[in-house]
Amino acid sequence: MDPMQLAQMKRTVEWHAEEARHHERDLQTAELALENAKKNVEELRKKATESKRKLEVYKGDVVRAEAEVRKKIADARH
């Protein structure tokens, strides 16, 4: 192997090392984004569950209010 080939090999190694650093940095960025997305999903899941619970409470309130109004109308007719 001559010095030119050795120099080329060293350049190739350095290029691959730089690629590996870029890929590692991209991986870390993606992992952080994934963690943030998981936290966001969990927060949204909690909000959706709470909204559904509140909706059921309000639906129950509406049913009771409708029954009360119907009863008042029926009592007023008698």
Side-chain angles (χ1 to χ4, degrees):
M1 175 173 293
D2 65 31
M4 294 277 290
Q5 290 172 320
L6 178 60
Q8 180 60 39
M9 285 178 73
K10 287 181 178 181
R11 283 192 298 273
T12 301
V13 166
E14 184 53 38
W15 183 86
H16 282 288
E18 184 65 24
E19 281 292 298
R21 285 190 292 274
H22 283 292
H23 290 144
E24 184 66 28
R25 191 169 38 245
D26 291 346
L27 175 61
Q28 289 174 354
T29 299
E31 286 173 338
L32 284 173
L34 178 61
E35 272 306 304
N36 288 334
K38 285 180 181 179
K39 289 176 185 175
N40 192 32
V41 165
E42 195 56 40
E43 184 178 320
L44 291 171
R45 184 174 284 128
K46 287 177 186 177
K47 286 180 180 181
T49 300
E50 181 63 17
S51 290
K52 287 177 183 178
R53 187 194 65 77
K54 286 180 181 180
L55 177 60
E56 291 305 314
V57 169
Y58 289 134
K59 283 180 178 181
D61 291 347
V62 167
V63 168
R64 285 188 293 281
E66 285 175 337
E68 184 181 320
V69 168
R70 281 194 300 275
K71 184 178 183 309
K72 285 182 181 179
I73 290 171
D75 288 347
R77 287 184 184 161
H78 290 69

